[in-house]
Amino acid sequence: MTNIPAAPSSIQPMSELFGASVSTFWATTYNVDLALFDKFLFGLLGEPPLNVVVLSDQRRLAASLGRVPPERVDTLAAINSRWLLRGVRLGGSFHAKSYLAITNNRAVLLVGSGNLSSGGLNDGHEVFTIFRSGTQLGDSALVTWRAWMHRVVEMVGDVTLAGRFRDLEERLPTLPLATTSSPLIHNMDEPISTQLIAMVRDEVLGRVDNLLLAAPFYDADANAVAKLVADLKPHKVVVYISPATSVNGMSLKERLVESGAHVGVQVYIPEDFVHAKLIAVNVGRQNWLLSGSANLSQAALIRTAQHGGNVELAVLARFESDQIAATFIPPGMTSVASNLDALTSLIFQSDEEGESMEPHVYLINATMLPDGRVETYTNPPAQPSWLLDDLTMHQPLLLESSGRTITAGPLNGRLVQVIDTNGDILSNRVVVDDPIGLTAVLTSSTGRPNDDKPPELLDGDRNTPLGQALIWLHQHLVMDVSERLTNAPTGGVATEEADKQSDDDLWQRLEYEHLVRDPRVSTYRHFWTHTSLSGVDPIIELLDMLRNRTPRSDSAGRLGRSMLSHLLEHVPPADQQENQPHHPWKLSARIRVRALNVLRRWANAQTDERLVWIDPLAPAANFAMIIEVLTYLQIERIRNTRQVELTDDDLNDLWLLWLRKFAGSGQTDGWLDQIESANLNLVQQRLPEWLPEAAAALCWLAVPPSSQRAKVIEWQPVISSALDHKLVNPTEITARYVSTIWGTSVTPTQIDSQLLHVVEFIDDALWCTRTNSELSLDGLECKSPPATMHLQLRLDVGGVPNALLDPRIVRLIVTARNYRRCDGVALYAADTTWRIVVSTGKRIAYLKKPGEEVIESTIPVTKGLLEKLAGSGGVLAAFFSDITLT
Amino acid sequence: MEVPPNDIEIGEPTVQMPQWVARSLRFAEGRDPLGFQTTTQDRLMPVLLPGVLELTRRARYFSFHAFLLDEYRNRRLPAEGKSLSNFIKRCEWDFGLAVQRCPNNCGSSPVGARRLGNLATQPGPFPRGESVESTLGGYGLYYRSPMATLGIVAKAGTLLGNQPIPIDLLYPINRATRLAEGFRSAVSKTAYYQRWMWTGEKLPTEVVDEYAKVACFCRLYEWPDERDAVDDALFGTDLSYTGEHPEANAGSDSVVVDASFLSEVMQRRHSFGHYLTLVDAHPNVVSSGSVFRQALWEPPKARNHSQEVIAGQWAALIAKDVWQEALCSVWSEFCRSGLKKARELRRGLTWEETKQLAMNMVSGPPELMSEQLTKEIVNELDGGNLTISDVGGMPFNVATASLESLRRLTERLDTGTSGLVTTLELARRLATRSDDGWQQASQISSAWQPSLVMLLTGLRIHLDGAPSVGESLWWMVSNFVLRIHERISYSKLPDFTFRFRWEDGLLRFYDNGIGRFPLAAIRHQGLALLTKDLDLWQGTSPNDTSGSLTDRGRAFVTEVFG
C-alpha cells in the first residue's frame, strides 16, 4: 500500500466524454438539460453509426417536458430521432449519474454527482470518478456498470432501449469475465450504506475515528445520518454544509448530539451550492470514501432500489491518507469551522428527488408509424375515450385487434400527451420516436440488414445464378429468423445470475419488434393479397429473376393459374440454351455445398415459432417459394444438365426435407401439424392453387416407379402426411411436367397410382418395424408359421416378459390378424420363454416356458372377442383364471 | 489548501479518486447577443463601402504596406508566411514609434500603440519589437483584406499558373507599384531605410525622428505622388483586364478583375462622394457620430440618381440601427426584469411567466398600459401627439424629433416601452420609402435577424391583429429576442454567452452582462480620416471638429456625381 501521489484534482467531463471519435454515449442522470445536450454536446460526438442514449428520471423528465410550450416543440426535433431519450421510473427516483463514452478501442466511464446539465458537468461543484477500459479497475467498473445497466434496461422493459443496449454491448471493448472487486456499487440488491459499513467492518470492528459527510440533500429528519452514526460509532463527525443544504437543521443537530460523537461543522466559503455527495470514514490513516449520486437520505443510502429507494450508483474506495478532509473542498473554495448552532439555520426543502405530479396515465412511449399515425404504450392501457394530443391537434386512440394502440389518423407534433374528450390532460408527455431516424443514426443505413446475403454464401456467389436465387429469397423472405437475431445479452452477469434475473419477455419483445420491423414483412403481405398467380406478387418477381438468368425476349406477364405450365412454356429448348451467354446454373462443388447448407438450414428453421411474428403464415409462403425454385431447377436441369449441378439426389433430398418440415411425417412433427386449426384453414385457402400439382410432380420425381424399397419407405410417411394436408394433387399439368423431365409419357393416373403405391406400400419387414415402434416392443419379426393348418402367422416378440398380463399382446394379435387378413397367429417370445397360439373358435394356448405344460384359456376365442378386449386395454389373463399369473 | 489526493493504491490496482469538476465552458459577455452587429459588419458594410474596414483608417498605411511587400520581394527575403509576418510586424513597430514621435505632435494612433506604450516619450535608443501579436500584424488585421479588394495585393494561396503563391505579393500593376514607390520615395533617403530597417539593433532617436519627419501620417500631403497613388488605389481602376494571374501580366497595367471589382470601385467612389457631400452640408459630420447618422438619414438633395441610390442605401443602414437600438431597449429591460424575477422565484421562468414578464414591461418611461391597444400609440404618432419624458423629465415629441435623437432617446431610456415606441415611429417614417437604394439595403438580412423590410412586414401583420401594448412587447421579445439569442449563444459554445436559456423547461437568466449592446461601427472615423489624409477636406476648427471640402474634395464630388 502506498501513499497518495499528487495528481490533478479536477476533471472536465465535457472534454473527457464528448469528442468526434465517440461512437457511443450513454448517460444516466436524474435530470437532463435537453437543450444543452441536444444543441451542443450531441453535436460534439462522432458521425453515425452513433449510439446515444440518455436515461433520466421519468418524473423529472415529465415535469420538464410538461413545461414545453407549443412554440418550442420544434426544439425537440433531434430527440428520439437522432438520439434516444427515456424516462426511467423504477419506484424511487432514478438518480444515478453515470456517463459512458466509447470510441473504437476504448471506453471511458464517469460516475459521480453531476447531472447531464451545465451545472452537473461544468460548474456545479460536482465530483466524478473516471474509469478507463484497459485498466484493471476500469474494466471491473465497466463490467459492473454493464451488468447494472442490463438490469435497468430489463426493468424499464422498453424494446427500443433494449435494442440499443444490445448494440452497446457489441461496441464495448472486450471486458474480462471475472474481475477484481469493483469499486463501483449500486443499490439494486443491497443498500449503499450496508455496503459501505460492511467494507469498513471487514477491517475495523470497534468505533471509527472520523465520519465526514457532505451532500446537498438529506432526508428531512436526518435519519440516514443517524443510521450511519449508529452503525459506525465515530468518535467525531464532521458535516460540510452550505446555506442551501436541505435538511431540518434541528433534527440533524439532535441526531448528531444524540450520537455522543464530537461534532464538527464546516461551512463552505464562498456560500455556493455544492452538489457533490461524499462520505468518508477514517480510522488512523485508513480511509473509506463513498462518492457518487447518493445523497444523505434514506431513499439514497438506506433502501434498495427494489424496496422504495432511489436508483443510485456510487464509487467506494479504500485508501491510506492523512489528508482525507482535503477531498471535501472544491477548488477555489474553502471551509470554515462553525458550531452546531450553524445547523439550525438549515431548512428542509422540497428536494431534487421529490418533484412529482403523478398523472392518471403513464404514457410510456410513442412511436411514429410510416403512415404518420402514432403508436402508444400506456399504463393503464388506453381507453376508448382517450385521444393523443400533440399540443396543436389530437387524434383518437384506437385499440387494434393486434393489441396495439394507434391513433386514428396522423399527428405531426413530436411532443404528445394523452387527453380525454374534454381536453383534460391525463398523462405525462413524451417525445415521439422516429424509428427511421433512430435506425439511420444507429446503423448509418436505411434500416435494411447490412448482410444482404445468407451467411453461408460468399461474395463470389453473387455471380452464380443459384447464388442469386438464394440471395433473392434471403432479401425478400425471412427464411430463418435467427439470421437477424443474436442471443440475448447477459449484461456481463454470470450465467446463473442471468438466468435468475433475465427478463426473457423483454428480449423476446425486442426480437419481436426487430422482426416485425423487418422490411421483408411486406413481401408476405403481397403474397397473401395475391391468392392466384395472376398479379404481380413475390412469386412472379422470383420467376422474373429466374428468367433473367435464362434470358428470353418474350418475358411472361401474367402467369395464369399453373406454375408448372408456365415453366413448361417458358423454358427454352435445350438447343437454344446452348448459345446463351449467361452464367450457367453450374456450381462448383463448394458452391453446391454452400447452397445445400443454406436450403437445409432454411428448411429446419420453418418450425421456429418466432417465424410467425413475421407473418402467421410465413412458413407456408416460404414453402411455396421453395417449390417454385425446386420445380424450376428440376426442369432446368433436365433441359441442360450442365446448367444445374445440383444432383437429382440434392433436389430430392431438399424436397423431402422441406416437405417433412412443412407437412410432417405422421408424427405431428410438421409445421402444419402444429398450427391452430383456424390458421390451418387459412393456409389451405390461401396457398397457391398450383401448389398441389407442383408438389405432386416433385414427389413423383423423388419416388418414381421402380424406386427402391428404402426410398419408398423413407418418403411414405411424408407423402402420406402431405396427402392428408391436401398438399399433393396430380393434374394434367403435373403429368406434362413429369413427362418432360422423365422423358416418357406419364399420365395423371399413373402419377396418382404411384403416389398411392408409395403411401400404401407395406411388407412384413416394414409392418414389423412400424408395429414394433407403435407398441414399443424390443423386437418383432415375422417368421414362418408352424405347420398347422389353422395358423397363418408366427411372430417373434421381444420385450414382453409376461405375455398374459401385457395389453400390447392383445393389440399385437389384433393388428397382425388385420395386416395379414388371417386368423391363426402364433406369438413366440424372442427369448424363447413363452408362446401363445390364438385362433378363432379355439381356446388360447399358452406355454409359460419350455418344458411346462400348455395351458388353455377357460373359453374359446370367439369372433370379435379380442378386438373388444384390445379396445378396452384388456389382457389375455382374463381368460386364464385358474393359473398363477406371476 | 493542500492538493487533494487523486490516485491511490490499495495494494493492487490504482484507484482513481473522485475529482472535482472544472469548467469546460468559458463565460463571456458576448457583444452581439441578438446578431445585429453581424448584419452591419458582415452584410451591409461590405455592400455599402467595400474594401474599407472599420480600422482601415489611415491612407498612408496603404502605401506603407505596399512598400513593405515590395521591399520584401525585391530583397528576395524568404518566401515564407511566418518570415513575412515577422518582417511586417517589426516594421510596423518602427513605424508606430516614428508616428508617436511625430515632430508635429499630430497625435495619430498607429497600429501597435498599445504595445509601444509610452516608449516614444522615453529617450532612445529604442528597442525593437513587433507591433501586434497576430499574424501579419496590423496589415493582416486591417489592410490586407482591403488591399486585396482594391486589386493591389494577391493574397498567399492565389494561383500563379497552377501553383499557389506562398506569400502575399503586390499585383504587378501601376496602381500597386505606384503605392510602393510613393512611400519609398518619401523614406528612401532616411537612415532608417538605408540601414536600420534591415537590422535588429536598437533604433537611435535621431533615426526615428528622421523617419517620422517624412513618414508620419500627417506628412502625406507633402508627398503628392504618394497621396495620388493612394487615391488611385482606392478609387481607380486599371486600364485593361486581360490577365489571368499577377505574374502573367508582369509589367503591364493589367490585373485580373471582373464586373464585381468594377462595381465595388464605383460603390466606393459613390460612398466617399456621398460622405463628402454630407461634410459639405454639415461640417461637424467629420467629428460627430450623431451628426453623421442624422445626415445620412436626411442627406442633402441628391445631385443625380447615383447619389439618390447611395443615399438610400446608407439611410437603410441608419434605419436598421434605430431598429437595433429600439430592440436593444426591449432586450435590456427583458434581461433585467427576468433576472430579477428569477431571483425572486429562485428558479427559472415558465413559458407563461416569461410571456407575462414581457407583457408587463410597461412601466417605462414612457409608462404605458399593458392592455392598451398598440394602435392607440400608432394613432398618436400619426397625429404627432405623442410626447414622452426624457431621462431628465424633458418632454420629447416623438413624431417631430429627428431619427437620431429618437435613437438616442431610447438608448438613454433603456426601457421596453421606449423600444416599442421607437419601433412604431420608425415604421411610420419608413412606410413611404421605396427608392432604389433603400430597397436594396433594407432587404439585407443576416443569419440571425430578418431584414428591415421583413420586420416592417411582420409588424404590419402584427398590428393588423389589433394587439395590446403587452402583446406587442411579447411579439418583439418572442420573435426577435428569445429564440435568436439562444440560437446565437449555442453557436458560440463553448464560450458561454447566454443571458438566458431554456433549461429544464424553464427560462433561466444569467448575470452575464445584461446591459445594452453597442451599435456596430459604420466607418465614421475611417471615412473622416481617409478623406482628410487624401486632402479632400480640411479642418475649420481646432482639433478638426468641423471641416470643409478642399478643391480636391469638391472636384472628387463633381467627378463622382456630376
Side-chain angles (χ1 to χ4, degrees), chain A residues 4-5 7-12 33 35-36 60 64 67 69 71-72 74 122 126-129 137 318-319, chain B residues 5-8 10 14-16 18-25 351 483 486 490 501-506:
Chain A
I4 305 161
S9 59
S10 62
I11 185 174
Q12 290 184 301
D33 185 336
L36 178 74
R60 187 65 192 259
S64 178
R67 300 187 194 107
E71 294 86 345
R72 288 185 48 80
D74 60 335
N122 189 60
E126 312 275 4
V127 294
F128 279 98
T129 305
L137 279 170
R318 174 185 165 281
F319 62 98
Chain B
N6 186 250
D7 287 343
I8 64 167
I10 49 176
T14 299
V15 176
Q16 186 77 10
Q19 295 169 275
W20 290 93
V21 166
R23 290 176 189 271
S24 298
L25 308 180
W351 179 263
R483 187 172 292 229
E486 262 206 312
Y490 275 115
R501 60 184 287 264
W502 290 98
E503 195 174 318
D504 211 14
L506 299 172

Side-chain angles (χ1 to χ4, degrees), chain B residues 363-404:
Chain B
S363 56
E367 184 176 4
L368 301 173
M369 302 286 284
S370 181
E371 60 275 16
Q372 176 184 3
L373 288 178
T374 306
K375 183 68 177 171
E376 294 175 13
I377 310 293
V378 173
N379 290 340
E380 285 190 75
L381 292 171
D382 286 342
N385 302 321
L386 183 65
T387 300
I388 61 179
S389 295
D390 200 344
V391 175
M394 295 293 291
F396 186 97
N397 189 311
V398 176
T400 58
S402 72
L403 194 62
E404 172 60 10

Side-chain angles (χ1 to χ4, degrees), chain B residues 92-115:
Chain B
E92 284 180 346
W93 168 279
D94 299 343
F95 184 70
L97 191 59
V99 169
Q100 287 188 334
R101 289 184 64 83
C102 172
N104 290 342
N105 292 317
C106 70
S108 298
S109 178
V111 169
R114 186 180 302 170
R115 278 194 166 192

Side-chain angles (χ1 to χ4, degrees), chain B residues 212-340:
Chain B
K213 192 174 179 182
V214 295
C216 184
F217 303 130
C218 64
R219 296 290 174 162
L220 180 59
Y221 74 94
E222 293 178 352
W223 305 93
D225 287 347
E226 183 186 349
R227 183 195 61 201
D228 289 347
V230 175
D231 189 295
D232 200 28
L234 281 167
F235 307 120
T237 60
D238 297 285
L239 298 177
S240 61
Y241 310 96
T242 57
E244 292 184 350
H245 49 75
E247 298 299 328
N249 297 294
S252 76
D253 291 339
S254 305
V255 67
V256 60
V257 293
D258 55 23
S260 67
F261 172 80
L262 297 176
S263 172
E264 286 175 357
V265 173
M266 291 302 294
Q267 178 72 31
R268 200 159 42 245
R269 289 166 60 88
H270 287 157
S271 285
F272 272 86
H274 184 55
Y275 173 78
L276 292 175
T277 64
L278 302 185
V279 174
D280 199 24
H282 306 281
N284 288 339
V285 158
V286 298
S287 60
S288 167
S290 284
V291 173
F292 178 52
R293 287 179 176 277
Q294 183 59 32
L296 283 170
W297 176 246
E298 290 182 317
K301 186 176 185 322
R303 299 188 181 195
N304 62 12
H305 180 66
S306 294
Q307 192 176 6
E308 272 182 21
V309 171
I310 206 76
Q313 291 175 347
W314 282 88
L317 170 67
I318 297 307
K320 173 261 168 193
D321 276 356
V322 174
W323 156 237
Q324 172 180 334
E325 207 78 83
L327 191 66
C328 184
S329 294
V330 174
W331 147 272
S332 181
E333 181 166 355
F334 179 72
C335 290
R336 284 197 309 270
S337 306
L339 193 61
K340 181 181 175 196

